[in-house]
Amino acid sequence: MERQVEETQLQFRSGIRGSNSQQLGFGFLQAHDVISTKTPQETGGRSFTALLELPPPQAVELLVNEDFQAKTPPHIFHCNTALINRASKFSVFATAGSSPEGNYVVSGSCSMMPDVVKQEPPDFDSHLNSSMPAASNHSPKSLKRKEKVKEKKVNELDIKSKKVAPNDISVGSGDKLPYIYVRARRGQATDSHSLAERARREKIDARMKQLQELVPGCNKISGTAMVLDEIINHVQALQRQVEFLSMRLAAVNPRSDINHYAFLAEESEPAVDNNYQSMFTASMWPEGQISGSRQQYQQLWHFEGLQQPIWGRVEDKSKFITTENSLLSFDFSSNSGTGKLK
Amino acid sequence: MTSDHISSLRNPSSIKTRFAHRFVLALKKLSMDRASSSVSMADRYKRYRKVRAAAYASMASSVGPKRAWARALLRKIRNRKMGSNLMKRLGSRTGLLKKRTVLKPRNHREMGSEQENSLRELVPGGEGMEFYRLLNETGHYIKCLRAQVKVMKNIIDLYSN
């Protein structure tokens, strides 16, 4: 029995390295025979596919135990290993019927591999995590994820075993396969719609993470809805600030003797920004705090003698008057540089 | 001498400097137009509206046409301005012409979640976008709003010194 197990392992590995569908077919046939005669205790964590024959609670238990050591070294974990596991799952279910049917089914699974390979790359990493519990060095976080996935898998095992039975019958009757059977990740639906939706959802989640970093105080919150609430609050607060500041600007009557181009130098002051940043957590800020940084400006106040416009694009005086109009359009000159926000 | 200013800046073409330029110019223009002191509430309110519009317009134009929210913001301001001009001149007849509604593409009008809808209202141009694009625009919008607030604060301080 043990020798047979070893053979199986060799077949598996050679199949993986060669990535030859024919070889894999044979390997699975062997595994298939071996598996049907195996008992749970004898697996001892050697063959991952054998678990699938067990009743679900036992399978879950075995998987949860961390002494389920990986026998295949990590560098063998290409796409194909995941495929092989899926295909082997498929073959195990086929043991419900007789072995010739199993052959057909297995060859079907071999032929379907190109299709599945295409779907592999996008969701490879997470799939690897969820479908290879054999890897021993899992962090606690991925262990939790495994357990979650396993619960789903348990349900799915039941569902899929029922589903496959009618397939077997139809496959066994003829030489050709009725359709290409595509496997998705564990615990998830297989149609192209849900796959596309899942990809979209992952994109959205990645964006949400970026937004979480952008908005202060969002890192501790979990869940999309709360993060969105925080983002909305932040945007509203910023808009309110802009309105408040414009009210103040309207109230503060600008003296005509102030040279406006001196502001250019001000905007390059990062120290000022840090001051403001620290004050800036509440939605409204008391006015008294702002006066603290005023003295920094006065040292830069030596540009008053400047008469000429500094910008390249403001070439004649008439443009000053049409500033309002120019604001409403995008005029790009060399000064504008890239459209990206720095 | 004039070019030294720009070259001595840390980032001569950042959003902040571009916005600062335009906004300061706009403010100067506003202050040239209006009376030196108008105490009445209506005048103050009008001035506040103009300053706010100038702030948003200068921010949007310095961002550029690549961002959807910037385009939508400028469109909104332009519509409001032209609408108010028409109202002043033509009286009640322009009530129909005033509001230029932007047609929303039908595929994005489905009932999303509550927060998604409120986010769409907040971000300019958010109505006609998918959720993923909305998130992108929101991120950029937040960055720009922050820069705008910083610059405006600096300007206020400089003005009041």
Side-chain angles (χ1 to χ4, degrees):
Chain A
M1 184 56 74
E2 282 305 308
R3 204 167 46 85
Q4 264 183 311
V5 174
E6 289 297 333
E7 273 176 16
T8 315
Q9 290 297 318
L10 280 174
Q11 291 280 348
F12 269 101
R13 290 180 201 192
S14 60
I16 292 164
R17 285 203 198 99
S19 69
N20 189 346
S21 58
Q22 205 54 30
Q23 256 184 315
L24 277 167
F26 282 129
F28 285 132
L29 284 181
Q30 300 255 348
H32 159 74
D33 292 332
V34 168
I35 283 163
S36 51
T37 56
K38 245 191 251 277
T39 63
Q41 283 73 37
E42 278 182 318
T43 63
R46 286 300 202 96
S47 172
F48 156 75
T49 59
L51 284 173
L52 300 170
E53 203 195 18
L54 301 175
Q58 271 183 314
V60 170
E61 210 183 274
L62 266 180
L63 286 168
V64 168
N65 288 337
E66 278 288 55
D67 42 42
F68 192 67
Q69 297 295 322
K71 288 305 167 184
T72 57
H75 72 269
I76 281 184
F77 279 11
H78 307 304
C79 286
N80 290 333
T81 53
L83 290 176
I84 287 162
N85 289 322
R86 288 184 191 166
S88 59
K89 255 201 290 182
F90 197 63
S91 65
V92 164
F93 287 130
T95 58
S98 59
S99 40
E101 286 179 2
N103 288 348
Y104 283 117
V105 168
V106 165
S107 61
S109 76
C110 292
S111 67
M112 85 179 174
M113 261 190 282
D115 296 21
V116 190
V117 171
K118 268 185 251 151
Q119 308 221 357
E120 251 327 278
D123 49 13
F124 173 61
D125 285 337
S126 45
H127 172 70
L128 196 57
N129 264 337
S130 60
S131 72
M132 298 301 291
S136 57
N137 35 356
H138 269 311
S139 56
K141 182 179 173 203
S142 55
L143 171 61
K144 272 187 237 156
R145 201 171 153 205
K146 259 194 299 178
E147 290 178 4
K148 266 193 238 162
V149 167
K150 252 161 287 156
E151 281 152 28
K152 282 195 221 161
K153 183 192 82 155
V154 163
N155 300 332
E156 218 199 25
L157 279 179
D158 296 336
I159 295 168
K160 278 198 174 159
S161 57
K162 288 177 205 151
K163 254 206 263 176
V164 171
N167 284 351
D168 278 352
I169 297 168
S170 56
V171 165
S173 57
D175 288 339
K176 285 196 214 158
L177 291 172
Y179 44 77
I180 293 180
Y181 194 88
V182 174
R183 289 267 172 158
R185 292 189 285 183
R186 282 213 170 149
Q188 281 163 348
T190 66
D191 33 307
S192 64
H193 289 297
S194 44
L195 282 171
E197 275 172 28
R198 208 175 311 136
R200 179 179 169 265
R201 223 177 298 146
E202 277 164 16
K203 262 199 322 181
I204 287 181
D205 286 342
R207 269 295 167 215
M208 291 288 297
K209 277 185 71 179
Q210 282 183 357
L211 277 177
Q212 266 187 306
E213 290 162 23
L214 199 59
V215 176
C218 261
N219 290 326
K220 300 135 194 167
I221 304 177
S222 62
T224 318
M226 306 295 243
V227 169
L228 275 180
D229 278 337
E230 278 301 314
I231 292 173
I232 288 171
N233 284 340
H234 192 63
V235 168
Q236 279 173 340
L238 284 173
Q239 283 177 342
R240 260 182 274 143
Q241 272 171 3
V242 167
E243 291 179 10
F244 187 72
L245 282 173
S246 59
M247 225 179 346
R248 282 193 69 198
L249 262 179
V252 168
N253 235 338
R255 306 188 290 271
S256 51
D257 57 342
I258 289 179
N259 195 326
H260 303 278
Y261 307 114
F263 290 134
L264 282 178
E266 304 307 324
E267 302 318 313
S268 65
E269 274 283 296
V272 177
D273 296 342
N274 289 336
N275 272 338
Y276 285 138
Q277 193 71 314
S278 56
M279 291 191 265
F280 234 37
T281 47
S283 55
M284 296 293 254
W285 69 104
E287 297 193 19
Q289 290 187 15
I290 300 176
S291 60
S293 52
R294 271 189 203 162
Q295 54 267 22
Q296 297 184 29
Y297 297 122
Q298 289 170 358
Q299 52 193 333
L300 296 163
W301 204 242
H302 57 276
F303 297 129
E304 264 170 314
L306 206 60
Q307 293 303 318
Q308 288 189 358
I310 316 176
W311 303 324
R313 65 180 171 90
V314 182
E315 269 140 26
D316 49 324
K317 293 271 181 197
S318 62
K319 285 210 176 176
F320 282 105
I321 308 204
T322 57
T323 305
E324 184 75 29
N325 294 335
S326 73
L327 282 181
L328 293 178
S329 63
F330 302 110
D331 30 329
F332 285 104
S333 66
S334 55
N335 271 349
S336 304
T338 64
K340 278 201 283 184
L341 171 67
K342 301 268 180 337
Chain B
M1 184 159 85
T2 61
S3 57
D4 288 347
H5 281 293
I6 293 207
S7 52
S8 64
L9 292 178
R10 283 178 207 246
N11 193 346
S13 66
S14 75
I15 288 273
K16 277 199 206 159
T17 47
R18 296 207 298 266
F19 167 64
H21 291 336
R22 294 181 201 234
F23 189 44
V24 161
L25 275 186
L27 282 179
K28 193 172 182 190
K29 182 200 173 243
L30 276 181
S31 69
M32 283 188 335
D33 289 345
R34 66 174 183 238
S36 57
S37 68
S38 45
V39 196
S40 72
M41 280 307 289
D43 284 344
R44 260 192 248 167
Y45 186 66
K46 268 194 230 166
R47 211 188 316 158
Y48 150 68
R49 295 278 299 252
K50 283 189 191 158
V51 169
R52 191 183 59 172
Y56 279 127
S58 51
M59 170 50 72
S61 56
S62 55
V63 162
K66 289 197 181 156
R67 282 287 169 177
W69 67 263
R71 296 196 297 266
L73 190 54
L74 278 188
R75 212 184 306 139
K76 216 192 298 181
I77 296 175
R78 218 176 283 167
N79 289 346
R80 217 180 285 170
K81 191 177 177 209
M82 290 201 218
S84 66
N85 282 345
L86 285 172
M87 281 289 279
K88 273 187 234 163
R89 289 174 199 177
L90 300 180
S92 58
R93 251 157 114 237
T94 58
L96 298 168
L97 302 171
K98 177 183 166 196
K99 189 153 189 219
R100 291 190 202 177
T101 54
V102 180
L103 279 180
K104 308 169 189 180
R106 290 175 206 272
N107 39 346
H108 307 307
R109 227 197 293 187
E110 51 168 272
M111 284 303 298
S113 68
E114 184 189 326
Q115 297 107 344
E116 180 186 330
N117 287 339
S118 44
L119 195 60
R120 282 184 201 268
E121 288 168 30
L122 280 181
V123 175
E127 295 290 331
M129 291 183 215
E130 319 174 299
F131 191 52
Y132 180 66
R133 199 150 171 233
L134 182 68
L135 292 180
N136 278 352
E137 300 288 322
T138 304
H140 194 258
Y141 186 55
I142 288 178
K143 270 202 255 185
C144 289
L145 274 181
R146 278 211 198 128
Q148 186 178 13
V149 163
K150 281 183 201 168
V151 167
M152 285 174 79
K153 272 187 170 178
N154 291 349
I155 290 178
I156 284 179
D157 276 355
L158 286 171
Y159 266 144
S160 46
N161 274 350

